[in-house]
Amino acid sequence: MSTASSIQRGQVDLQDFVDWSGVECLNQNSGHTLVNALKQGYRDDNGLHLESDADEQLLIYLPFTQVIKLHSVVFVGPEEEGPRTVKLFANKAHMGFSNVNDYPPSDSAVLSEDNLKEKPVILKYVKFQSVRSLTIFVEDNQAGTETTKIQKIILYGTTVETTNVKDLKKIEEH
């Protein structure tokens, strides 16, 4: 993965296209949940964060309300407990810690200090052209501590227009 200092023009924050009713986060601390890092308003509050519970790993499942093209991801976290190795899986539902290593990730990254200060991780765009859901596996953190903390997760990309107006007219003619 390469990184860029700015988001490409035309890429939007995909927050509005997350299907919140289907979002899951395994191993999150009940007092510091995914909403804190992902939802607008919450993620901009420096006092809030997502925190892992039993160990440093987190498994996040994000379904979308429509098909998206994912371009880049921002992970903001503290220097020590911020996420380090992150694996992303496009369109892989119902993964657990027991089988997360059974599948090759669509892309993965080792986050730098710059990444944790909002420098986006640019993904292998070709692997994220038709995404209905995204699974993010946070494998470890910067200092190898028991707890991982993420202050902010931002997904950048575009939506895929799935309705073709010409097709609608054809149906009406019959």
Side-chain angles (χ1 to χ4, degrees), residues 36-38 42-46 48-50 76-78 116 149-153:
N36 290 347
L38 197 62
Y42 292 90
R43 69 181 182 198
D44 299 315
D45 181 333
N46 291 336
L48 298 175
H49 62 271
L50 163 63
V76 177
L116 294 179
K149 291 182 181 173
I150 303 175
Q151 289 151 326
K152 195 183 285 191
I153 299 172

Side-chain angles (χ1 to χ4, degrees), residues 4-172:
S5 54
S6 62
I7 296 299
Q8 241 182 313
R9 286 201 343 219
Q11 304 299 330
V12 298
D13 180 344
L14 295 168
Q15 214 263 161
D16 293 337
F17 304 102
V18 172
D19 178 1
W20 291 99
S21 65
V23 168
E24 290 173 13
C25 183
L26 302 182
N27 194 39
Q28 67 183 345
N29 178 310
S30 59
H32 302 283
T33 63
L34 178 62
V35 167
N36 290 347
L38 197 62
K39 227 172 192 173
Q40 219 136 20
Y42 292 90
R43 69 181 182 198
D44 299 315
D45 181 333
N46 291 336
L48 298 175
H49 62 271
L50 163 63
E51 192 174 303
S52 64
D53 194 20
D55 60 23
E56 75 285 3
Q57 296 188 334
L58 287 160
L59 192 57
I60 300 165
Y61 175 71
L62 304 172
F64 298 101
T65 54
Q66 57 183 275
V67 179
I68 56 125
K69 292 181 180 187
L70 189 60
H71 174 267
S72 53
V73 187
V74 172
F75 294 95
V76 177
E79 211 173 290
E80 303 263 306
E81 297 142 314
R84 191 177 88 90
T85 309
V86 178
K87 295 179 178 175
L88 297 108
F89 301 85
N91 305 322
K92 271 268 178 249
H94 311 297
M95 292 178 76
F97 290 109
S98 60
N99 69 353
V100 75
N101 291 316
D102 295 351
Y103 306 101
S106 306
D107 207 348
S108 60
V110 175
L111 303 178
S112 67
E113 249 180 75
D114 286 343
N115 290 137
L116 294 179
K117 292 178 181 145
E118 284 198 52
K119 184 175 181 184
V121 175
I122 308 300
L123 302 175
K124 291 177 190 150
Y125 197 47
V126 69
K127 300 270 193 175
F128 297 94
Q129 288 295 301
S130 185
V131 181
R132 289 173 304 284
S133 70
L134 180 70
T135 302
I136 302 170
F137 175 45
V138 178
E139 196 164 24
D140 54 19
N141 59 40
Q142 296 290 328
T145 58
E146 279 291 297
T147 308
T148 297
K149 291 182 181 173
I150 303 175
Q151 289 151 326
K152 195 183 285 191
I153 299 172
I154 308 172
L155 307 172
Y156 288 106
T158 54
T159 57
V160 176
E161 286 300 324
T162 50
T163 310
N164 187 334
V165 178
K166 289 176 190 164
D167 292 343
L168 292 177
K169 286 178 182 161
K170 281 180 195 163
I171 294 166
E172 289 169 6

